[in-house]
Amino acid sequence: MIKMFLKSKQNELLCYIGSMLLFVTVLFLYDVRTDAIQYGLLLSTVLFLLNLTLQFFKFQKRLSEQDYQNIIKNLKEQNSELKSQERIFKQEMSDYYSMWVHQIKTPIAAMHVLQQTLEEEYPEQKYIKEIKLELFKIEQYVEMVLTYLRMGEMSGDLKFEKYSLDAIVRQVIRKYSQMFILRKIHLQYAKTSQCIVTDEKWLQFVLEQVLSNALKYTKDGGMIFIYTEEKENKKCLVIEDSGIGIQAEDLPRVFEKGFTGYNGRADKKSTGIGLYMCKKIMERLNHQIWIESEIDKGTKVYLDLAREEWTIE
């Protein structure tokens, strides 16, 4: 830094040295006493050095600020470049999985045809039931991937209207009816006359995920109940099962992304993404969701579908 400073003051130093030489030469020619010349030279040199020192500190401060600004500028440029690369990567991944989802539907459709053929030829075979169950699961996982990809652009896809809650729930039950029949799980549904303001497509996905979990963790021959209940002065839709339940220490984390808990580790097939998606979607719909559960006694999922009334002034 000192070298840089001296280089920047090179002209001033040369000018000072030249001035001092001229000063000494003139005084010497006029026969001024040598000690007076030396004293004057010393004073001017001290003053010059003091001024040079002050200028050096200012130069150092200015250089430090400039370095700091350069560092900030470089960091901003790097951050902008990383964000750009991240956007490109996410878009490429989204494009790839969207293509994969649409391509995988073709072999799934072919497997359905094969399953139906086998069912006609060998109606008594028990493995047909397992094939139907696994095919249904594959379709649900594919649908989950597609929905997960769409969540990033969910805000622009929302369409709020007034719907009959009973109509939405019945669509979900109809979709899972084969699962209930194949696994001999009994459903008790208490019809509701409640009307809600929501986005039908996204709420239906949430209900499907909750019902899918209820079926997954309920043993064959078990019970699932769907009804409305007053909870904390809120009229909630409840999906209750007689399944294995959730451990108390896992309950606070069930909506975390990637969290599978004890049940997920035991099942070895849980992704820990379904409830996370449900929570995010419910928040964007301005609804609420929470879970109560006891081990070996089942699980209750509460969905508060009320929305705050907006006053237009």
Side-chain angles (χ1 to χ4, degrees), residues 45-184:
T45 302
V46 169
L47 289 173
F48 177 76
L49 290 174
L50 285 172
N51 179 56
L52 202 64
T53 303
L54 289 173
Q55 289 188 47
F56 172 73
F57 285 123
K58 289 180 180 178
F59 175 82
Q60 187 180 35
K61 183 179 179 182
R62 188 168 60 252
L63 194 64
S64 297
E65 289 176 352
Q66 188 177 356
D67 288 342
Y68 178 72
Q69 291 297 329
N70 287 335
I71 290 170
I72 296 237
K73 183 181 178 182
N74 290 334
L75 286 173
K76 283 183 177 179
E77 289 175 354
Q78 290 175 14
N79 186 47
S80 178
E81 186 178 349
L82 286 172
K83 283 184 177 179
S84 177
Q85 291 176 355
E86 184 180 5
R87 281 194 298 271
I88 293 170
F89 175 76
K90 283 184 176 179
Q91 187 59 49
E92 288 177 348
M93 291 296 290
S94 178
D95 292 343
Y96 171 78
Y97 282 112
S98 295
M99 179 185 68
W100 176 84
V101 166
H102 288 98
Q103 286 180 337
I104 202 70
K105 287 182 178 180
T106 302
I108 289 174
M111 290 171 71
H112 271 297
V113 173
L114 291 171
Q115 172 255 310
Q116 289 171 4
T117 303
L118 287 171
E119 194 171 14
E120 290 173 2
E121 292 182 3
Y122 309 100
E124 302 301 323
Q125 291 293 333
K126 293 183 178 180
Y127 66 80
I128 302 295
K129 169 187 171 182
E130 298 300 324
I131 291 174
K132 290 175 75 172
L133 285 172
E134 295 306 318
L135 265 175
F136 185 81
K137 289 178 185 178
I138 291 170
E139 287 180 310
Q140 292 306 106
Y141 291 143
V142 169
E143 187 62 32
M144 184 187 291
V145 172
L146 196 57
T147 304
Y148 184 76
L149 292 173
R150 290 172 180 163
M151 276 182 63
E153 302 173 355
M154 181 180 170
S155 298
D157 187 50
L158 292 174
K159 184 179 179 182
F160 289 100
E161 292 183 8
K162 193 172 184 179
Y163 294 97
S164 163
L165 178 57
D166 185 64
I168 297 175
V169 173
R170 285 187 181 279
Q171 287 183 59
V172 177
I173 292 172
R174 197 175 300 117
K175 184 174 181 177
Y176 282 83
S177 58
Q178 283 294 315
M179 288 281 284
F180 281 101
I181 294 169
L182 291 170
R183 295 191 53 203
K184 297 179 181 178

Side-chain angles (χ1 to χ4, degrees), residues 221-239:
M223 292 285 297
I224 290 178
F225 309 87
I226 302 177
Y227 54 93
T228 54
E229 178 185 318
E230 288 285 340
K231 187 76 171 179
E232 299 176 2
N233 298 321
K234 300 173 182 178
K235 193 173 183 180
C236 302
L237 178 69
V238 184
I239 299 178

Side-chain angles (χ1 to χ4, degrees), residues 13 66 149 161 185 195 209 214 234 251 257 260 290 312:
L13 287 168
Q66 188 177 356
L149 292 173
E161 292 183 8
I185 292 176
C195 286
Q209 287 301 306
K234 300 173 182 178
L251 272 175
K257 186 177 181 180
T260 57
W290 69 92
I312 301 176

